[in-house]
Amino acid sequence: MSFNHPTTVLVIGGGAAGIMAAITAAREGAAATILEKNERIGRKILATGNGRCNLTNTDLHLKHYHGQNPKFAYTALTEFNYQNTIDFFANLGIMPKTETGGKVFPFSGQASSVLDVLRFEMEQRKIIVICQADINKIKKTDNNFYATCKDGRKFQANRLILAAGGKASPNLGSNGSGFSLAQSLGHHIIEPFPALVRLQLAESFLKQVQGFKFEGTAEIIVDNKAKARATGEILFTANGISGPPILQLSRKAGEYLQKQLKVWLKLSLINHLSTEQLEQILLKRWHNQPSQSLAFSFTGFIHKRIIPAMLKAAGIEDINKKVSNLSSKEIKQIASILQDWRFQVTGTDSWSAAQVTAGGVAVNEVNPQTLESKKVKGLYLAGEILDIDGDCGGYNLQWAWSSGYIAGKNAAFV
Ligand SMILES: Cc1cc2nc3c(=O)[nH]c(=O)nc-3n(C[C@H](O)[C@H](O)[C@H](O)COP(=O)(O)OP(=O)(O)OC[C@H]3O[C@@H](n4cnc5c(N)ncnc54)[C@H](O)[C@@H]3O)c2cc1C
């Protein structure tokens, strides 16, 4: 690369991956331009971590990544790792704050501060940002790429980085158009599905318990086998279930639902006691207050709103019967439902409610060392557009930073 004629790099998509790719390419001496369909870049960054931006995680490990070949992410996550991410942002002024589960946020508590420092660095590096540029055509002839906007504007460069995201939260910009662009260049798409999303259940009592939260354990069960498990605050919604453990499990549930398999959610409302201990506690309560109705006997132990549904699910016909009239079979059924309550998962919420896209551009068509396409020389891919998705906890932004860095670094050189 000569100083007088820097490599020109077009970055399609001004999200976390595209911004990181443009900054890295510019730091390597390339002339980088971001083409962004929204009226401004980084809209999704502002929405991350409930507006606080969980930008990485101290426990950066491949086990937190998914896709048809998660090992693909290894090189990028190693070359631009947790410490590189912390250093990169510290250099720009972001002081990190580590919270429970290794989640790292900016000390300011503001996602906007992450975008502000990235924008400042982009200005320093003279990166051109063109917004309201919705690219719907990419062509490569000889050594140049031509990107055309829906409104007819055309842009040309030596290198092109496709960082247009997936399909999750299309109101923030990424609507799957990146997949169409990748396909038009010869790439295959692993069928995408929403991840880090609420699960839908078909129970008729949901409206009555909507908003009820509890600290419990959830498991995904397929063919009577536990496939994934998570613990934390679980929340019933009007049409299903949510909360951090559910979002975490949604990837697994979506994977099996996509295969048309029956997926069950096993909930444990009481996860800190063994079944024997739980039975003892219930028996003691009932022994102390033998004239209480069964439904009332849970007052102070289980949230009122869930008691009728829980007892019905345990197979109790008359939930107002006296506790002294409970049969030993019924006692066992009640203790069991409190720790193993099964719900059929009928689906996940839609793209508009999803945080992440599972699936995307098939990674066997991309060089893991450089993130250059094996189909089109000079084309690079970064971020959520690729068939790599991470757990909740900073892993998706870390993938965007790491893959953006690798794509930007390699695209900068002719
Ligand atoms: C509500 C929410 C909260 C989240 N919180 C976290 C969190 O705290 N931590 C975490 O690690 N992850 C979080 N994520 C996930 C994380 O934000 C994404 O995985 C990550 O931002 C993906 O970055 P990206 O650059 O690959 O894609 P995107 O951020 O989706 O960026 C793609 C960009 O490309 C643009 N674009 C799309 N198509 C075109 C086109 N044809 N032409 C031009 N431009 C185009 C889009 O407008 C968009 O700006 C969250 C996601 C959501 C929705």
Side-chain angles (χ1 to χ4, degrees):
M1 188 186 61
S2 116
F3 181 77
N4 292 325
H5 301 285
T7 313
T8 50
V9 179
L10 279 183
V11 181
I12 314 291
I19 293 173
M20 177 57 100
I23 289 175
T24 310
R27 284 181 175 181
E28 295 288 347
T33 300
I34 293 184
L35 301 174
E36 166 57 51
K37 85 190 240 294
N38 281 339
E39 65 294 342
R40 50 210 282 247
I41 58 166
R43 276 191 63 193
K44 197 175 282 177
I45 294 174
L46 296 177
T48 56
N50 285 325
R52 294 201 301 132
C53 187
N54 177 194
L55 54 91
T56 184
N57 195 294
T58 53
D59 179 32
L60 187 56
H61 191 278
L62 263 194
K63 69 180 179 200
H64 296 292
Y65 288 92
H66 317 280
Q68 296 223 325
N69 178 17
K71 283 189 189 144
F72 173 88
Y74 180 80
T75 311
L77 293 172
T78 307
E79 201 173 320
F80 195 81
N81 58 25
Y82 164 76
Q83 195 55 51
N84 300 125
T85 305
I86 295 295
D87 293 346
F88 172 86
F89 281 105
N91 219 328
L92 297 182
I94 298 293
M95 199 159 123
K97 179 169 180 260
T98 306
E99 298 190 3
T100 330
K103 295 178 182 175
V104 181
F105 296 84
F107 201 80
S108 63
Q110 292 179 296
S112 59
S113 51
V114 173
L115 185 57
D116 286 345
V117 298
L118 290 169
R119 290 176 74 108
F120 183 79
E121 177 66 5
M122 285 167 59
E123 275 166 32
Q124 301 297 299
R125 300 283 164 184
K126 307 214 173 343
I127 292 166
I128 298 169
V129 177
I130 300 173
C131 290
Q132 295 180 304
D134 190 350
I135 302 301
N136 67 351
K137 212 189 299 169
I138 298 171
K139 274 204 141 188
K140 191 186 177 201
T141 47
D142 306 326
N143 287 325
N144 280 312
F145 286 89
Y146 299 88
T148 311
C149 286
K150 275 190 178 158
D151 61 16
R153 279 176 295 163
K154 279 192 168 52
F155 303 89
Q156 179 190 341
N158 314 131
R159 297 281 180 265
L160 191 130
I161 301 175
L162 202 44
K167 291 181 89 171
S169 293
N171 61 317
L172 300 174
S174 57
N175 58 2
S177 63
F179 295 151
S180 311
L181 292 171
Q183 276 174 315
S184 74
L185 292 160
H187 280 282
H188 291 95
I189 307 298
I190 305 300
E191 187 59 25
F193 60 90
L196 304 192
V197 68
R198 292 182 296 238
L199 296 178
Q200 293 175 350
L201 310 174
E203 306 298 327
S204 55
F205 65 80
L206 289 172
K207 288 254 162 27
Q208 280 100 62
V209 300
Q210 172 183 0
F212 161 60
K213 287 180 192 166
F214 65 98
E215 278 290 316
T217 300
E219 273 175 70
I220 294 296
I221 310 280
V222 178
D223 288 338
N224 237 356
K225 289 195 192 85
K227 300 292 181 185
R229 188 173 200 263
T231 294
E233 192 178 71
I234 298 170
L235 163 80
F236 279 101
T237 68
N239 65 346
I241 196 153
S242 186
I246 301 298
L247 298 194
Q248 203 72 277
L249 296 177
S250 63
R251 211 277 173 204
K252 240 331 158 225
E255 206 177 300
Y256 288 106
L257 287 168
Q258 207 189 34
K259 292 180 187 156
Q260 314 280 328
L261 291 170
K262 270 203 171 156
V263 177
W264 298 89
L265 183 74
K266 170 179 162 183
L267 286 187
S268 172
L269 266 62
I270 310 288
N271 62 1
H272 63 290
L273 299 172
S274 70
T275 311
E276 295 70 40
Q277 286 171 323
L278 176 59
E279 267 186 47
Q280 287 310 312
I281 286 175
L282 291 173
L283 287 171
K284 195 169 170 206
R285 290 174 78 88
W286 293 331
H287 178 76
N288 288 344
Q289 299 287 351
S291 63
Q292 274 184 348
S293 79
L294 178 59
F296 187 82
S297 75
F298 286 94
T299 308
F301 185 40
I302 307 291
H303 196 289
K304 266 186 204 159
R305 276 159 71 193
I306 200 74
I307 295 169
M310 180 272 291
L311 290 173
K312 286 258 150 57
I316 311 292
E317 292 287 318
D318 176 10
I319 66 167
N320 290 313
K321 73 196 299 182
K322 274 205 181 142
V323 293
S324 54
N325 293 335
L326 280 170
S327 67
S328 50
K329 186 176 165 220
E330 286 173 324
I331 292 169
K332 289 241 169 296
Q333 284 168 337
I334 294 169
S336 163
I337 207 81
L338 286 169
Q339 295 191 314
D340 183 354
W341 191 352
R342 306 258 172 137
F343 303 86
Q344 190 179 347
V345 179
T346 50
T348 65
D349 263 4
S350 64
W351 287 112
S352 59
Q355 291 193 7
V356 168
T357 308
V361 173
V363 295
N364 62 349
E365 299 171 350
V366 180
N367 180 340
Q369 311 293 328
T370 59
L371 297 187
E372 185 175 18
S373 159
K374 291 179 186 170
K375 303 250 172 200
V376 183
K377 198 172 170 346
L379 170 69
Y380 295 79
L381 297 107
E384 208 175 298
I385 194 170
L386 287 161
D387 174 29
I388 293 289
D389 58 286
D391 285 345
C392 203
Y395 295 104
N396 288 293
L397 279 174
Q398 180 64 63
W399 171 242
W401 312 132
S402 297
S403 58
Y405 173 85
I406 299 295
K409 181 179 146 192
N410 288 285
F413 295 98
V414 175

